Amino acid sequence: MRTRSRIAAVPVAAVAVTILAGCADRSEVATFTDEHGRACTATVVIDGDDRDKEATTLDCEYPPAGKTPGRTTQQPLPKH
C-alpha cells in the first residue's frame, strides 16, 4: 500500500508545480555585485504588472584575486 500512495503523490506534485509555475508571467536571470563585493546571480520571478518581483536561487561568490565582477545585467531565462 505504501508504494501505491507514493506513486499517487507524483502526479499531484506535478500538477502543483504546473499551477504554481502558471501564476508567474516570466522569470529572468539577474547578475549584480552586492554590498560586500561578491558577484551574485539570482532567478527573478516577475508577475504580470512588473510591480511584484521575487528573487530566488541566489548564489554569490567573491571574485578571484585581481578580478572584479562584471556589470549588472538582467535577461530572460534561456528557452529549452
Side-chain angles (χ1 to χ4, degrees), residues 8-9 11-14 16 18-20 28 32 36 40 47-48 51 53 55 60 64 66 70 72-73:
V12 171
T18 302
I19 290 171
L20 290 174
E28 297 183 357
F32 56 94
H36 304 288
C40 299
D47 285 337
R51 288 189 222 164
K53 296 180 181 180
C60 296
T72 297
T73 64

Side-chain angles (χ1 to χ4, degrees), residues 26-30 42-44 46 73-79:
R26 68 183 193 271
S27 296
E28 297 183 357
V29 174
T43 302
V44 180
I46 304 169
T73 64
Q74 187 166 341
Q75 55 188 306
L77 287 171
K79 304 246 188 248

Side-chain angles (χ1 to χ4, degrees), residues 23-26 44-54:
C23 294
D25 283 356
R26 68 183 193 271
V44 180
V45 178
I46 304 169
D47 285 337
D49 58 7
D50 286 352
R51 288 189 222 164
D52 189 22
K53 296 180 181 180
E54 180 182 343

